[in-house]
Structure formats: structure tokens, C-alpha cells
Amino acid sequence: MVKSYLRYESAAAFGVIASVESNITYDTTGKHLLAPALEKIGVWQVRLGICSKTLTPSTQSRGPSIAVTSIAAAPSPSSKIVSGHADGSIRIWDCERGTCDTTLYGHKGATTVLRFNKTGSYLASGSKDNDIVLWDVVSEEGRFRLRGHRDQVTDLAFLDSGKKLVSASKDKFLRVWDLDTQHCTQIIGGHHSEIWSLDVDPLQRYLVTGSADSELRFYTIQHDQTVTDGKDSAVENKWESLKLFGEINRQSKDRVATLSFNNTGNLLACQVAGKTVEIYRVLDEAESKRKAKRRINRKKEKKSSKTVDATETENTDHELTVTVSDVFKLLQTLRANKKICSITFSPITSKNSLATLALSLNNNLLEVYSIDSDSTTKTSAIELQGHRSDVRSVTLNSDSTLLMSTSHNSVKIWNPSAGSCIRTIDSGYGLCSLFVPGNKYAVIGTKSGTLEIIDVRSGTTVEVVKAHTGSVQSIVHTPDGGGFVTGSTDHDVKFWEYQTTEASGQDSVHLTVSNVRTLPMNDDVIVLAVSPDGKHIAVALLDCTVKVYYMDTLKFFLTLYGHKLPVLCMDISSDGDLIVTGSADKNIKIWGLDFGDCHKSIFAHADSVTAVKFVRNTHYMFSVGKDRLVKYWDADKFELLLTLEGHHAEVWCLAISHRGDFLVTGSHDRSIRRWDRTEEPFFLEEEKEKRLEEIFEADLDNSLENRYLPQQEIPEEGAVAVAGKKTQETLSATDSIIEALDIAAEELKRMAEHEEEKRKGKGAVFQSNIIMTGLSPSDYILRSVSKVHTNDLEQTLLALPFSDALKLLSFLKDWSSNPDKVELVCRIATVLLQVHHNQLIATASTRPLLALLRDILHARVKECKDTLGFNLAAMDHLKQLMASKSDAPFRDAKAKLLEIRSQQSKRVEGREDTKGEKRRKKKKQKKDDGHVWS
């Protein structure tokens, strides 16, 4: 009988407010803040400080979870959100429903930036693979790929109503792309280091770029207009979209991380890779001209004070030039307590402030600031739902209903099933913890050598006991439940008992502990384990050995030698037969506790093993390590059963529930993950085969046929390529199309033979192939082609051999009669003609087919265009009818009236100013006339 095991799967991940890999952004309403939480996106209600929704990718693949590296929200009417990921994939989400609509594959490196155009119909993505891909959001397909940058693309911006795209890169250059002609029209240098960010103001007057240089560079945007200065200048300025406006020196010496204009365009925020954000005021045209005038007047005054010269009169008439310092003025500098990862302006502005700015910090924290003309004030912070640093220990209470986690400055009590934080208690740097029997109190061992006794119900620290002179590394229960044992770097193992004391002057009784025995060791104690029968205590020391003592007499029993580096974790099975040790040498050793013999040494992790635990009443065990993996083992067969991937950084700690139905892990990525036991059984051999298949499929690009191909050359200046990318899905789609073509060809052959027999009078009833489910051969192939995702179609057809491509072309004539499939047929025909152009020209038999397709497809496309045109005209007519019935014209008239009134009030103010000026002059004249010297 083959032994089966029950599978464990990732069930929940909590404790992450904002991870550091990606930017944050507001949705279009300004009510919700979108923050990356490792592989998920948290949708936070800023005012209430709660996470209203979590966008989680589907867990179809059992591979590693891919971190979110960029987020963008579609413009106003749409509720769509896009997220870029570390594997280069892009997911389009419906924020209202919280579901993923589609996944686009186009990049080979992590997606670094995502930008929508003004209407939200196109999405541009930049990546670490140096490429830019333009995506059609409506049809969910890639349009084209722009190549030319020699290093990672760091930022993008659309210009001229989405006709042009500006890209910044770590290669120190800005590139302007014309999206109609798909060419690079302008390359701008000038930066001495990598360009990290750029942004365009809402009115598209200025573009600003930031790098590690000490200044910000500003460009004026030249929109498509005819230049009338003469032929030469017209030719010269035709392709020049950006013109250098000037530079402004920054206050900070750190590199620029993010540049962002607010929605009204009157503020510019410059976030550096440190703790500060510089906020600049953007003056409008009238203000900047006034400032320029004042600057020129001051210059003249300085000149006239030095020398009064005739040349002065000539300078008064020269044209007023507005410089960059006249438009952009430093308003204030915002300082955070920790390093800032990302910033974003809220699209809605409160009445009392200029703007609202949200910050994500590198200590798992979101802060919201209100910006006024003279100060910035923190209005809210989202911090309680996660730790500020690594989760160093996790402990479950006796009935597994509460989870306690410790970090560098706090202890948090969680509900492990819901993932909600119930209590946050300030503490020292907690390295280990346990719940006292009864679950009313908990004990924390800290780095400073103290034991903190915490009342779980009230969330307060009852007492702090100075236990050791070194850090408390390990804390374990005694089996009788009357106390616990601690091990420390001060070479001592101490035994403690629980006692109750009355606080002086109070009736309340609280828990305290007293030291009853001490076992001195000759080296630092790293970890302890007590056998469930209370017979032995095992002590792991810094000298790489494990010493086992009798619990009652503290006499020496055994030494376990074998590890090359110190043992970091160990556990004893429920029956007391086995002890398992995990070490910094990446190995797990399974020992017999009766004689201290090593049953097996297993190379378990790719880095140090940080925690190991047996499932209660079994010889199954879990181990975690710095290689981010959780592994499930059978200690009797010495076999790896499962590898659980999910954490994005080193896993420090592990806790298994009393019944073994779930386990909890804590990590350096600040997340706490719960893994549940499912009812799905699995077999060891099947799991081994799956692992081998995954290794084989993991590296498609490095497959045998591609390994010895010449390496791809650096693309030409502004080269264009296909947007898609070869994936496992495109290869399986190609296989399914080839299979469908073969089945259809066989069926057509059988049908022809049946017709021949019918003619001869031998006709029996024709039995169609059961696989085709009653469809005709043409419809059967159409169904398999229609199943291919629109974004994968090009790559799927690229992998088709020429003979199969010819077969596919022959079916296009039948499919084009279906109006719904005209677009699909045109795409297939275009791709196949581009790919197999040379062979098609050389094959004489294909000419009639191509001539037929040309006539049919042109007619079908014209019909579709006519239908669309008719529908659009009808919708426009309906719009006009509705407008005539509604108060829409009056709204326009009202707006016009308000505009006229504002102009009149400006004129009145202007007249009053001139009258006041005249009065002042008259008064002055009177004074002068009445003077004794006059």
C-alpha cells in the first residue's frame, strides 16, 4: 500500500501594510489608497485606517509568489487598476469587484513603471529588460515594443494627448517616441547620472526630470504647431518636443526617487532616497511674469546704484524672459522619521490645505500629510496592522485561537484565522515568547536579557524581570506546566516557576516568576528543547554541539556531535524517540534520543535553517530557512514531502497548531503567513515528478534549442518589436491548435472517403469523430483558436510550422463570414503573412488562396467599419436628442455667465487700483507743492 499524505497550502498572509518594492497611488476617487503588500495589493480607506479590500492573484500555479513592483490607477470613469510584477507580468484588476480581469505577459524583467494615457485606453509599461511596451487596455493585447534604452527604464509620461511618449532610463538619456510612427524622435542628454523619475504638469507646459545630480532639470513642452520663423527653424523644430528650460538646485544630496505634480499642477513634490520630500510651488503665468519683472527691476536698481549710464535706457525695452526660478519656488521640506519609499498626491484637495500627500515608509508604514502654504501636518498614519521590523518569533496558545508575534519594539496578539490584530503592546526586542498555561498571560524573552510578563486580556506589561546578563535566546515550557526554562548568551540555563503576587495597595493579583535552579554551561546557549515526558533537556551551544541532560538531576547524559556550524533550532518528537536539529550549515540532522545516534543528515535548505518543529503525535516535521522556503518532511522515511513557497525574505520562526491542522511562519518581509492542511491527499512519487517538471519548465528561454542560438544583439536606435513574450501558455496553445488541425484533417479525409463510397452506392451512416463534439472541422479549429488569449495570439502563431500555418490560412475564408470573428481572422492573416512572407512568395500553390483572402477580407473589414460608423453616428444622434431634452445647454450658458462675471469683477478691481494710484500721486504732488523749498 502506497502511503499518502495530506497537502498543506497557503491560506492567508497578514501583517504587511506597505512593502518597499513598489510605489503607492490613490484611486481616482481619492478615498482609497492602493499600497503593495508583497504579492497582493491592499486597498486602504485612509480616513478609517482599515483595509477594505485585498487584491490577491489566483493561486493556480504552485510556484513562488511574485512581488508587486509597480501600481497605476486608470483615469476617472474607470475602476481599473494595473499592477506590474517582478516576473514582468502585468495584471489588470477591477477594483470594485476585487477580481483580476486579465494577465499580460510582455517583459522578461521586473516591471518598473506603468502609465495610462489621458483616456485610459492605452497603457505604457517600462521594465528592467530595457524595453517599453504599449498595451491596448480595451482589447487586452500588446500593440508594440519600443527598444533603444541601454539600461532599465525608470519612468514614462504621455505627451500631446497620448500621441507621444517620453521615457527616462538609467542610461542617463531621455527619449521621446512618436507612437503613430513608432519611432524615437528625440534623444536628450545632459544628466551626469541615472535618471530616476520624470513627470509632466497637468497642463502639459513643463516636464521635470530628477537624477542623482544636485539639480532638477526642467523642459518646456513644444506641442505640434507650425513654426513660422522660416524654413530652417521649421525643419529644426519639427521633431523637437522638449526644450531645456533651466535647472534648480535641490536641498538634499540624496538621489531623486520620485517626482510628482499634484492634480491642479500648482505643487511639485520631489522625494529623495532618504527621509525628505521637497515641495515646490508652481506659479501661474501672471505670477511668474510679475516675479520676473521684479527680478529685472532689482537688477536695474543694482546697476543704477553702481553706475548711471546711457546704456540703461536701451535695456528697459528688452523682452521680459521668464526663467525656471520664476516659475518654481521651494515652498517647504517635509521630513519623515524613516526612509521614504514612495509618495503620491491625493486627487481630491481639502478646503483648508493646498494638497494631501501620502507616504509609504520602509518600516511597513503609511502616513498622510496635509500641505499648507507655511507648514505640513501629519493627519493620519496606518501602522497598527503590522510590525515595524522583522517578525522574530511566533507562538500559538494552547487551543490555537490566539497568535503572538514579537518584533524589535512591540508584541502583537492576532486572531490567526481572520488575520486581524487584536492587541499591540510596547516591549523590548523580543527574541522568544510563550503563552502561560491558561492563556491569560504571556512571557517574552528579550535581547536585553529581561523577561517581560504580559497580561493578554488588558494588553499591558505586568512585570519586567531581569533574568540574564546576555540576551534570552530560547524559552520553553516544562511539561508539568508549572514553569519554563530559559537559555541565554551569558552561558546560563535557568529554570523558573510561576507565582502570584498582590500589587501593593491593590486587591488585584498578578503573575510573577522566580528562578529555582541554574545550569551553567561553558558557551553561549542558542536554543533549548525539553522532552514531552520531562525526562531530558537538550541545550544547543555556540560550539556546534548539543548537550543532553537529565531534567531532574541536571546530570550529563549525551553530546550530539556532527554539525559544522552552530545549531540554530531543534525539537523533540511527542513520543520522545527523535530529536531533530537544524543548523547554520544548511543541514537537518535526525537523532535517536535513546543512544544519541544520528539517523540521517539531510541537506535541507539553500541557507541557514532557522526553525524546525514536529507535528504533534507524529514524526512529520516542518523546517524553515533563510532561503525563504517552508519544507515538510517525513522523519521516518527521511523524505521531503512538500516545499511551500510564499515568503519574500528570510523566514525566522515557525509555530504549529495543537492539532497540526495549520502552521504559522514569520519573516524578515514583515509578513505572517498561515498554511492550512487541506483534505487533498498526495503521493511522494507524484510530488517528485512534479518537482522535476517544474525545474524543466522553469527556464523556457534557456531550453536546448535556444541555448546555442547567437545572442540577441543590442537593438538599433528606436527599434520596434512584437509586444508579446513566449510563455508556457503560448506553447501549450500552439500544441492545441496543431492537434486540432490534425484531427480536422483526419475528419475531412474520412468525410471525403464516405462521399466516395456513397457515390458507389455503399453509403452507410457517417459517424463523426466523438472528440469534435458534433462540430464541423472548420468550427472545431475555430474553437481552439478562439480559446487563445488575445495577448498570446502572436506568440502562439509564431511557433506554428509553415505546413500548419498553410492549413490554418485555408480555413480563414469560412470564418470570415461570421461578423464576430472578422477581427480575429484579420489578426491571424496579418501575423502569418508577416512571419512566413518569404515561403508564401516562393510557394506557387498559395497564390490563389492569398488572392481570394485579399478580396474577401477587404470587403469584410469595410462592412465592419460601416457598421461601427453607423452605430457611432446613431449614438451621437441619441446624445443630441437627450441633450435637447435636458438642461445641458443652460449649463453651458451658466458657465459662460460666470466667466463673464469674473472678467467684469477683474476689470472693476483694475479700475479701483488705477484710481487709488492716481489719488496717491495727487496727494504726493500736493505735499511737494506745499514744501518750503518748492
Side-chain angles (χ1 to χ4, degrees):
M1 183 75 181
V2 181
K3 186 169 174 58
S4 69
Y5 303 88
L6 290 177
R7 189 179 294 282
Y8 282 82
E9 282 186 352
S10 178
F14 47 92
V16 181
I17 298 167
S19 49
V20 298
E21 292 91 356
S22 169
N23 63 305
I24 57 168
T25 186
Y26 275 95
D27 69 346
T28 46
T29 62
K31 291 175 184 172
H32 297 105
L33 184 61
L34 310 169
L38 304 175
E39 74 276 11
K40 303 176 182 179
I41 299 171
V43 182
W44 294 89
Q45 284 188 359
V46 183
R47 282 187 179 175
L48 301 174
I50 57 167
C51 187
S52 58
K53 215 174 277 164
T54 305
L55 308 179
T56 312
S58 59
T59 53
Q60 291 170 348
S61 59
R62 289 201 170 110
S65 51
I66 308 299
V68 175
T69 53
S70 53
I71 303 172
S76 190
S78 173
S79 66
K80 282 194 170 21
I81 290 166
V82 289
S83 62
H85 296 258
D87 63 345
S89 63
I90 295 166
R91 287 185 171 87
I92 301 176
W93 304 85
D94 187 318
C95 192
E96 285 177 3
R97 289 182 294 151
T99 55
C100 180
D101 289 347
T102 187
T103 306
L104 307 169
Y105 295 98
H107 291 292
K108 289 178 183 174
T111 313
T112 52
V113 58
L114 294 166
R115 285 284 180 276
F116 278 101
N117 68 342
K118 213 169 188 178
T119 56
S121 56
Y122 283 116
L123 171 74
S125 65
S127 165
K128 284 187 178 176
D129 63 6
N130 312 351
D131 290 353
I132 300 158
V133 177
L134 192 76
W135 306 90
D136 189 328
V137 180
V138 180
S139 63
E140 297 175 354
E141 62 177 1
R143 296 300 305 276
F144 49 81
R145 182 188 300 271
L146 298 169
R147 286 179 163 161
H149 282 297
R150 298 287 187 266
D151 207 335
Q152 170 186 329
V153 179
T154 53
D155 215 343
L156 298 166
F158 281 96
L159 298 181
D160 273 352
S161 311
K163 290 178 188 172
K164 287 179 183 161
L165 183 72
V166 184
S167 60
S169 167
K170 284 170 79 173
D171 64 6
K172 307 176 191 174
F173 289 105
L174 279 178
R175 283 175 179 266
V176 183
W177 309 84
D178 189 311
L179 299 181
D180 293 335
T181 60
Q182 300 174 16
H183 275 78
C184 178
T185 57
Q186 192 180 359
I187 301 172
I188 302 159
H191 282 283
H192 304 296
S193 56
E194 296 106 330
I195 305 172
W196 285 99
S197 183
L198 64 86
D199 201 18
V200 178
D201 75 320
L203 298 173
Q204 298 224 331
R205 295 174 300 162
Y206 307 109
L207 180 136
V208 56
T209 60
S211 66
D213 302 347
S214 60
E215 62 276 323
L216 296 175
R217 287 173 76 87
F218 291 85
Y219 299 87
T220 50
I221 298 166
Q222 315 288 315
H223 295 286
D224 285 344
Q225 289 172 348
T226 52
V227 184
T228 55
D229 298 346
K231 286 184 181 176
D232 294 342
S233 60
V235 172
E236 189 184 309
N237 288 294
K238 188 181 177 185
W239 302 111
E240 198 175 287
S241 301
L242 300 176
K243 197 174 181 182
L244 185 64
F245 183 41
E247 295 175 350
I248 287 182
N249 282 322
R250 299 189 287 113
Q251 304 292 308
S252 173
K253 289 178 181 173
D254 296 315
R255 72 165 177 85
V256 172
T258 315
L259 288 165
S260 178
F261 283 96
N262 68 339
N263 258 24
T264 52
N266 64 341
L267 291 178
L268 167 67
C270 168
Q271 176 230 329
V272 299
K275 298 180 182 180
T276 59
V277 180
E278 291 169 19
I279 296 158
Y280 293 86
R281 183 76 190 267
V282 185
L283 304 179
D284 61 22
E285 207 170 335
E287 284 177 314
S288 53
K289 277 183 178 175
R290 277 203 295 273
K291 196 176 175 188
K293 207 170 185 179
R294 284 201 301 272
R295 178 172 50 80
I296 289 165
N297 288 341
R298 281 200 301 273
K299 223 174 188 179
K300 283 179 196 169
E301 282 169 17
K302 274 185 184 177
K303 272 188 181 180
S304 61
S305 65
K306 288 176 184 175
T307 53
V308 181
D309 203 5
T311 53
E312 188 189 351
T313 50
E314 293 171 22
N315 292 339
T316 53
D317 301 327
H318 83 286
E319 201 178 313
L320 186 72
T321 53
V322 177
T323 62
V324 68
S325 57
D326 298 329
V327 183
F328 297 91
K329 173 184 136 188
L330 182 66
L331 188 68
Q332 54 196 291
T333 304
L334 186 155
R335 291 184 194 281
N337 295 328
K338 283 283 176 181
K339 192 177 175 185
I340 303 166
C341 295
S342 171
I343 60 164
T344 181
F345 276 110
S346 171
I348 51 172
T349 310
S350 60
K351 292 173 184 175
N352 308 327
S353 64
L354 290 172
T356 305
L357 187 71
L359 277 64
S360 74
L361 307 182
N362 74 343
N363 65 341
N364 195 24
L365 184 64
L366 290 172
E367 291 183 341
V368 181
Y369 286 84
S370 176
I371 299 165
D372 300 313
S373 53
D374 53 354
S375 65
T376 54
T377 50
K378 191 202 287 190
T379 53
S380 62
I382 299 167
E383 57 185 342
L384 291 177
Q385 289 87 339
H387 282 290
R388 300 285 75 77
S389 69
D390 300 22
V391 179
R392 293 311 303 230
S393 78
V394 287
T395 316
L396 287 160
N397 67 350
S398 57
D399 57 358
S400 304
T401 54
L402 291 178
L403 167 71
M404 178 166 60
S405 62
T406 66
S407 181
H408 80 297
N409 66 351
S410 66
V411 174
K412 285 185 185 284
I413 311 287
W414 307 81
N415 176 350
S417 55
S420 56
C421 182
I422 303 165
R423 292 266 185 282
T424 300
I425 307 145
D426 290 338
S427 75
Y429 198 134
L431 295 177
C432 49
S433 57
L434 60 79
F435 276 99
V436 175
N439 303 326
K440 292 177 182 176
Y441 294 95
V443 182
I444 314 294
T446 67
K447 203 172 186 177
S448 58
T450 59
L451 291 175
E452 296 186 6
I453 300 164
I454 285 167
D455 188 331
V456 174
R457 292 166 299 179
S458 64
T460 55
T461 305
V462 176
E463 192 179 354
V464 178
V465 179
K466 183 65 184 168
H468 291 272
T469 53
S471 60
V472 181
Q473 291 288 335
S474 184
I475 181 166
V476 287
H477 283 288
T478 52
D480 60 2
F484 58 91
V485 190
T486 58
S488 166
T489 52
D490 64 0
H491 302 196
D492 282 345
V493 175
K494 290 188 178 181
F495 294 76
W496 305 80
E497 273 184 2
Y498 300 123
Q499 292 176 349
T500 52
T501 59
E502 268 189 40
S504 57
Q506 291 179 12
D507 298 335
S508 62
V509 176
H510 74 258
L511 185 83
T512 185
V513 292
S514 64
N515 182 17
V516 288
R517 286 191 294 174
T518 302
L519 173 64
M521 308 301 294
N522 56 7
D523 212 333
D524 291 12
V525 178
I526 296 174
V527 66
L528 300 172
V530 174
S531 61
D533 55 8
K535 199 175 175 184
H536 300 110
I537 179 167
V539 185
L541 303 174
L542 197 63
D543 61 4
C544 311
T545 62
V546 177
K547 290 188 162 47
V548 185
Y549 294 86
Y550 289 105
M551 188 86 166
D552 48 2
T553 60
L554 300 186
K555 282 187 178 175
F556 176 74
F557 172 50
L558 284 172
T559 302
L560 309 179
Y561 295 103
H563 283 291
K564 293 179 176 66
L565 288 170
V567 173
L568 303 178
C569 52
M570 62 180 170
D571 196 27
I572 298 172
S573 62
S574 300
D575 56 9
D577 288 350
L578 298 178
I579 178 169
V580 60
T581 57
S583 164
D585 63 10
K586 309 173 190 176
N587 289 315
I588 282 175
K589 289 184 189 285
I590 300 161
W591 317 75
L593 202 53
D594 43 5
F595 300 111
D597 55 324
C598 181
H599 291 185
K600 187 74 174 174
S601 181
I602 304 166
F603 180 69
H605 288 266
D607 209 328
S608 303
V609 183
T610 52
V612 64
K613 283 269 191 303
F614 276 105
V615 178
R616 190 178 151 87
N617 298 328
T618 70
H619 281 182
Y620 304 145
M621 62 182 186
F622 282 92
S623 69
V624 296
K626 285 188 181 178
D627 61 354
R628 310 176 180 191
L629 300 179
V630 180
K631 293 192 176 183
Y632 184 32
W633 307 85
D634 187 334
D636 290 332
K637 292 187 174 182
F638 318 123
E639 289 280 7
L640 172 64
L641 305 178
L642 279 180
T643 301
L644 305 173
E645 296 174 288
H647 280 290
H648 293 252
E650 300 96 320
V651 189
W652 292 124
C653 48
L654 163 72
I656 301 176
S657 69
H658 201 64
R659 292 181 299 170
D661 55 342
F662 71 89
L663 68 139
V664 178
T665 53
S667 165
H668 173 66
D669 62 16
R670 281 117 167 157
S671 73
I672 298 168
R673 285 176 190 265
R674 193 182 88 239
W675 315 80
D676 285 1
R677 186 170 63 200
T678 62
E679 295 304 312
E680 181 194 343
F682 70 92
F683 300 97
L684 201 56
E685 291 304 316
E686 283 181 13
E687 211 56 35
K688 281 182 183 173
E689 279 176 26
K690 264 187 202 169
R691 281 200 288 273
L692 287 170
E693 274 175 29
E694 279 168 16
I695 292 165
F696 181 70
E697 289 171 2
D699 205 1
L700 279 177
D701 293 333
N702 204 22
S703 57
L704 198 64
E705 61 266 27
N706 295 342
R707 200 172 293 164
Y708 302 107
L709 284 176
Q711 286 296 307
Q712 191 179 3
E713 292 175 14
I714 294 171
E716 291 293 317
E717 289 295 320
V720 180
V722 176
K725 169 189 163 187
K726 186 165 82 170
T727 59
Q728 194 60 42
E729 285 80 8
T730 62
L731 291 180
S732 55
T734 306
D735 290 341
S736 67
I737 290 172
I738 292 170
E739 191 183 344
L741 285 166
D742 292 342
I743 291 168
E746 190 65 37
E747 187 70 359
L748 285 168
K749 191 179 171 186
R750 280 182 61 233
M751 285 166 84
E753 285 171 2
H754 178 70
E755 286 295 322
E756 191 65 38
E757 283 178 5
K758 216 175 179 183
R759 229 178 269 122
K760 289 175 183 175
K762 297 178 186 176
V765 179
F766 180 72
Q767 294 288 330
S768 63
N769 191 338
I770 199 164
I771 296 170
M772 295 173 66
T773 61
L775 295 170
S776 68
S778 173
D779 290 344
Y780 181 67
I781 296 165
L782 178 60
R783 188 178 71 173
S784 68
V785 173
S786 300
K787 280 180 183 174
V788 181
H789 192 275
T790 49
N791 184 48
D792 296 337
L793 189 64
E794 284 188 7
Q795 290 295 331
T796 303
L797 296 174
L798 277 171
L800 273 183
F802 179 60
S803 55
D804 290 315
L806 274 181
K807 286 181 196 171
L808 197 61
L809 278 170
S810 65
F811 287 102
L812 295 185
K813 178 171 74 73
D814 302 337
W815 300 346
S816 61
S817 58
N818 184 349
D820 295 344
K821 299 294 177 186
V822 171
E823 190 185 345
L824 178 68
V825 168
C826 290
R827 279 193 72 195
I828 293 169
T830 311
V831 172
L832 292 178
L833 286 170
Q834 283 174 341
V835 174
H836 302 291
H837 183 253
N838 293 337
Q839 292 101 312
L840 286 168
I841 289 170
T843 312
S845 59
T846 60
R847 283 175 197 166
L849 174 65
L850 294 176
L852 183 67
L853 279 175
R854 182 188 62 195
D855 298 338
I856 290 172
L857 290 182
H858 277 231
R860 292 283 181 271
V861 170
K862 192 176 183 305
E863 282 173 24
C864 281
K865 279 176 78 177
D866 291 345
T867 309
L868 285 169
F870 180 81
N871 290 343
L872 283 169
M875 284 161 75
D876 201 35
H877 178 63
L878 285 169
K879 192 175 162 188
Q880 285 173 9
L881 280 173
M882 286 167 75
S884 65
K885 288 175 185 175
S886 72
D887 65 335
F890 301 108
R891 273 188 238 142
D892 294 343
K894 189 180 177 183
K896 191 77 179 167
L897 186 69
L898 288 169
E899 196 182 322
I900 292 163
R901 279 181 183 167
S902 67
Q903 283 173 357
Q904 279 179 338
S905 63
K906 276 180 187 174
R907 281 195 206 114
V908 170
E909 281 171 14
R911 280 182 204 143
E912 283 174 359
D913 288 348
T914 51
K915 281 176 185 175
E917 193 69 37
K918 280 177 183 175
R919 282 192 202 113
R920 278 197 294 276
K921 278 182 181 177
K922 278 181 182 177
K923 280 180 183 176
K924 199 178 178 184
Q925 210 171 351
K926 280 178 183 176
K927 280 178 184 176
D928 289 350
D929 290 347
H931 199 274
V932 67
W933 294 108
S934 64

